[in-house]
């Protein structure tokens, strides 16, 4: 059984490491391609199904418990830092609903386990600096959008709530 730990500095995930049996050694199991890895998550019903967001290269999926990874970005912007990913634990096991924060681009949703993504940023306004998304047990989504802009033209951050799966 693999256990995972993120390597971080200054609040950013920089890599993903795993240990088998959690002995004294860890091995890097990152996705490759450089950049940071943010919030690796596994499916609540299948520990071999994992997802992670990368600040340089999108969303990645693993079906073997994190040993290997492949990009799953179809329909999502390829040029945005992805800062957070959320698996809806109530979604069908074979077609997980996922949400990803694409910094500067908003929120994207997949209803087929990351196979295809659609923009779910309706109602966010001009600031699309999505940073973190979370879900209550009842299904309400909360999104943190961080402050953005320049010294002269600051766009304030905000906390958003959605009761309809980010449809509005």
């Amino acid at each position: 059984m693999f256990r995972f730990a993120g390597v971080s500095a200054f609040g950013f995930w920089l890599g993903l490491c795993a240990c088998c049996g959690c002995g004294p050694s860890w091995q890097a199991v990152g996705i490759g391609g450089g950049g940071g890895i943010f919030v690796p998550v596994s499916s609540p019903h299948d520990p071999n199904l994992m997802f992670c967001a990368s600040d340089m290269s999108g969303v990645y999926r693993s079906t073997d418990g994190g040993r290997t990874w492949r990009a799953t970005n179809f329909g999502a912007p390829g040029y945005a830092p992805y800062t957070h990913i959320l698996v809806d634990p109530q979604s069908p096991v074979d077609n997980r609903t996922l949400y990803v924060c694409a910094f500067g681009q908003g929120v994207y949703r997949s209803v087929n386990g990351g196979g295809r993504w659609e923009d779910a940023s309706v109602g966010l306004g001009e600031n699309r600096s999505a940073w973190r998304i979370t879900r209550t047990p009842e299904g309400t989504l909360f999104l943190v959008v961080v402050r953005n802009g320049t010294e002269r033209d600051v766009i304030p951050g905000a906390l958003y709530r959605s009761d309809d799966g980010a449809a509005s």
Side-chain angles (χ1 to χ4, degrees):
M1 170 183 227
F2 275 88
R3 294 194 191 249
F4 293 89
V7 178
S8 68
F10 309 108
F12 293 96
W13 290 97
L14 299 178
L16 186 61
C17 295
C19 74
C20 184
C22 287
S25 64
W26 290 81
Q27 59 180 294
V29 293
I31 56 176
I37 297 171
F38 294 91
V39 192
V41 295
S42 61
S43 171
H45 299 98
D46 181 358
N48 286 317
L49 180 58
M50 298 181 70
F51 301 91
C52 70
S54 170
D55 68 348
M56 294 183 71
S57 48
V59 179
Y60 284 80
R61 174 185 171 133
S62 173
T63 57
D64 59 9
R67 289 175 184 86
T68 60
W69 297 88
R70 70 174 175 82
T72 175
N73 299 325
F74 190 70
Y79 49 85
Y82 291 84
T83 59
H84 198 249
I85 191 164
L86 172 73
V87 177
D88 181 345
Q90 300 299 321
S91 59
V93 174
D94 58 344
N95 272 324
R96 285 289 183 208
T97 296
L98 308 168
Y99 301 91
V100 68
C101 295
F103 193 78
Q105 301 296 316
V107 176
Y108 283 77
R109 175 183 51 228
S110 172
V111 294
N112 63 355
R116 183 174 186 79
W117 296 88
E118 61 188 12
D119 190 355
S121 303
V122 174
L124 290 188
E126 72 174 309
N127 188 352
R128 299 288 177 106
S129 299
W131 188 252
R132 291 286 184 267
I133 188 167
T134 189
R135 181 186 180 279
T136 67
E138 297 78 29
T140 301
L141 296 171
F142 287 94
L143 173 69
V144 175
V145 175
V146 298
R147 185 176 92 153
N148 202 348
T150 65
E151 285 184 31
R152 300 179 120 181
D153 188 24
V154 174
I155 304 169
L159 177 65
Y160 289 92
R161 173 186 175 140
S162 173
D163 294 314
D164 59 7
S168 63

